[in-house]
Amino acid sequence: MAVVRYTQAPERRGELLRRIGESGYVSSTEAAAALGVSEMTIRRDLRQLAAQGLVNRVAGGASGAPPATGAPFEQRSDAAAGEKAAVARAAVALVPPGSVVALDAGTTVAALAGLLPGGLTVVTHSVPVITTCVGRDDVELIALGGAYHASTRSFTGPITRAGLDDLAVDVAVLSATAAGPDGVYSANASDAETKRAMARIAGRVVLLLDHGKIGARAPMRFLDLGAVDVVVTDAGAGEEQVALLRSRCREVVVA
């Protein structure tokens, strides 16, 4: 059988997810041979997928992730840290002075919290964002309660969503586990509901998306790409990835 070389990370990772979905497991060695890349490349792909909560790393490869909650916050925060920092810095300019901004529980959004200028009102359910804002005397904080979710380090559930019902925000800054032609996805159902609620009450939606998530997969769809006003990605995004975003979003910023 001829080897099909998968040179683009998003399509390669999508193929890895497809194989894991079919058999429940993929071997790094066998996948490298089948996809025409090095075993080191496959291991790097699997690390990224594991950081997004889409697979479990096991000896020699990866297996399917349990259907629940995604990887722990700290593990996700360490993945693609440089790209996330660049995206967060670029997003600062998209938050108008004096505005009310909703920040979700994503790791890239958490990086943004400490960079925001003073004079804002921050609405959030993220414990890391709450902690950052509590340490500042130049922002107003509206902290949303709910059931604590350890994996996302955030409050979630009906109480959280009810807290958003009576609010209006100028900008919702959201993150995602994956994004593709058919939408924006999260690894966790409760987190997806909160993101959806934030988008609903916002005048403008900004999506922070490092390039490794463009073309990846996750189980919970929470938004159409067409509903995003601005998407911010990093310079590692390929031409096809950027073209996909520009074909569906109103504005694309490459950090």
Side-chain angles (χ1 to χ4, degrees):
M1 179 183 295
V3 173
V4 177
R5 187 171 180 83
Y6 285 73
T7 57
Q8 296 296 318
E11 68 170 350
R12 195 172 58 242
R13 291 169 187 168
E15 176 63 13
L16 289 171
L17 287 172
R18 187 190 68 77
R19 290 167 179 255
I20 292 171
E22 285 185 350
S23 64
Y25 170 79
V26 70
S27 158
S28 298
T29 303
E30 293 176 0
L35 303 186
V37 295
S38 70
E39 191 171 344
M40 182 180 296
T41 296
I42 295 297
R43 288 198 296 267
R44 186 166 58 244
D45 287 339
L46 294 177
R47 281 196 300 270
Q48 178 67 30
L49 293 173
Q52 295 173 15
L54 302 178
V55 303
N56 282 335
R57 292 298 308 280
V58 296
S63 63
T69 59
F73 184 93
E74 290 77 9
Q75 183 180 346
R76 291 183 289 111
S77 185
D78 290 341
E83 291 90 338
K84 290 177 180 180
V87 168
R89 288 192 298 269
V92 173
L94 301 173
V95 180
S99 61
V100 180
V101 55
L103 302 181
D104 78 2
T107 54
T108 310
V109 174
L112 170 65
L115 303 176
L116 290 172
L120 301 174
T121 298
V122 175
V123 177
T124 188
H125 62 127
S126 163
V127 170
V129 174
I130 291 170
T131 301
T132 297
C133 292
V134 164
R136 299 181 57 169
D137 59 7
D138 60 346
V139 298
E140 296 291 329
L141 173 64
I142 299 176
L144 302 168
Y148 181 66
H149 191 273
S151 178
T152 60
R153 292 189 63 191
S154 67
F155 296 101
T156 189
I159 295 174
T160 311
R161 295 192 299 277
L164 289 165
D165 286 344
D166 294 328
L167 299 176
V169 302
D170 299 301
V171 182
V173 183
L174 308 178
S175 58
T177 302
D182 50 352
V184 189
Y185 290 82
S186 172
N188 177 273
S190 295
D191 193 46
E193 290 178 353
T194 306
K195 294 174 190 290
R196 194 177 297 119
M198 284 182 166
R200 186 173 60 248
I201 65 170
R204 200 165 189 236
V205 176
V206 175
L207 178 67
L208 307 189
L209 198 68
D210 69 77
H211 75 275
K213 297 174 180 176
I214 306 170
R217 298 181 183 180
M220 305 304 303
R221 182 176 180 276
F222 67 88
L223 206 62
D224 287 327
L225 271 174
V228 176
D229 294 284
V230 187
V231 60
V232 185
T233 189
D234 64 271
E239 291 182 6
E240 291 183 2
Q241 292 177 304
V242 174
L244 165 65
L245 297 176
R246 285 181 172 152
S247 71
R248 287 166 170 79
C249 302
R250 297 180 179 91
E251 181 181 351
V252 177
V253 175
V254 180

